[in-house]
């Protein structure tokens, strides 16, 4: 999948999001990267990704404060970020249709974190 096709898949997934989700977002950017970095995986800069299984299947990441955490005050100068990772999506899913569907699930999962849901809550909703 080319970079342009992956960007299109993200755009399709965002277009398919329920309108009330999109209207509730405040200062959140949705971006993509080829692969997760040491930062995304919570390692220091000296970390070497080679041979790490978790590197292969991290599909997305929410980096910011949930709306629950914002209740005590929030400086919105820097946006929160949902990052979607292209490489893991390509390795985990075969067809463009499947990638588009899974990008949508990834974005919903990360939006769940934005709305204050934890991993167990998201898994119970079918967004592992």
């Amino acid at each position: 999948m080319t970079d342009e096709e992956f960007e299109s898949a993200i755009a399709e997934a965002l277009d398919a999001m329920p309108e009330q989700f999109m209207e509730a977002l405040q200062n959140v950017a949705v971006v993509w990267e080829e692969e997760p970095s040491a930062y995304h995986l919570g390692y220091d800069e000296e970390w070497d990704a080679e041979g790490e299984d978790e590197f292969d299947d991290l599909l997305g990441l929410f980096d910011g404060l949930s709306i629950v955490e914002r209740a005590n005050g929030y400086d919105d100068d820097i946006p929160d970020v949902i990052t979607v990772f292209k490489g893991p999506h390509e390795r985990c899913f075969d067809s463009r249709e499947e990638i588009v569907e899974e990008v949508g699930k990834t974005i919903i999962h990360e939006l769940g974190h934005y709305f204050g849901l934890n991993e167990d809550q998201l898994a119970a909703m079918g967004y592992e």
Side-chain angles (χ1 to χ4, degrees):
M1 179 174 267
T2 68
D3 291 350
E4 292 78 18
E5 289 171 327
F6 193 70
E7 288 173 6
S8 177
I10 291 172
E12 285 177 45
L14 288 170
D15 287 344
M17 291 291 139
E19 195 171 317
Q20 66 268 26
F21 282 174
M22 300 309 288
E23 289 174 356
L25 294 180
Q26 296 178 359
N27 205 28
V28 177
V30 178
V31 301
W32 72 274
E33 302 246 350
E34 187 68 37
E35 298 289 345
S37 67
Y39 169 79
H40 294 123
L41 295 171
Y43 293 101
D44 64 28
E45 294 178 25
E46 300 299 317
W47 174 75
D48 179 12
E50 195 164 321
E52 291 290 331
D53 289 339
E54 67 182 313
F55 183 76
D56 288 338
D57 64 1
L58 181 65
L59 301 176
L61 182 72
F62 173 70
D63 188 11
L65 294 175
S66 72
I67 58 174
V68 173
E69 294 169 310
R70 294 175 184 204
N72 294 328
Y74 176 66
D75 179 10
D76 64 355
D77 288 342
I78 300 174
D80 296 323
V81 179
I82 292 173
T83 306
V84 181
F85 299 108
K86 181 181 176 204
H89 275 90
E90 291 176 320
R91 286 190 293 277
C92 293
F93 309 105
D94 297 323
S95 68
R96 182 187 189 287
E97 181 178 278
E98 197 175 18
I99 290 173
V100 170
E101 180 181 335
E102 295 300 326
V103 164
K105 289 179 183 178
T106 298
I107 292 171
I108 289 173
H109 178 100
E110 302 312 329
L111 284 173
H113 291 309
Y114 169 80
F115 288 115
L117 300 174
N118 64 35
E119 293 294 332
D120 291 338
Q121 293 167 316
L122 288 164
M125 296 169 63
Y127 294 103
E128 297 182 50

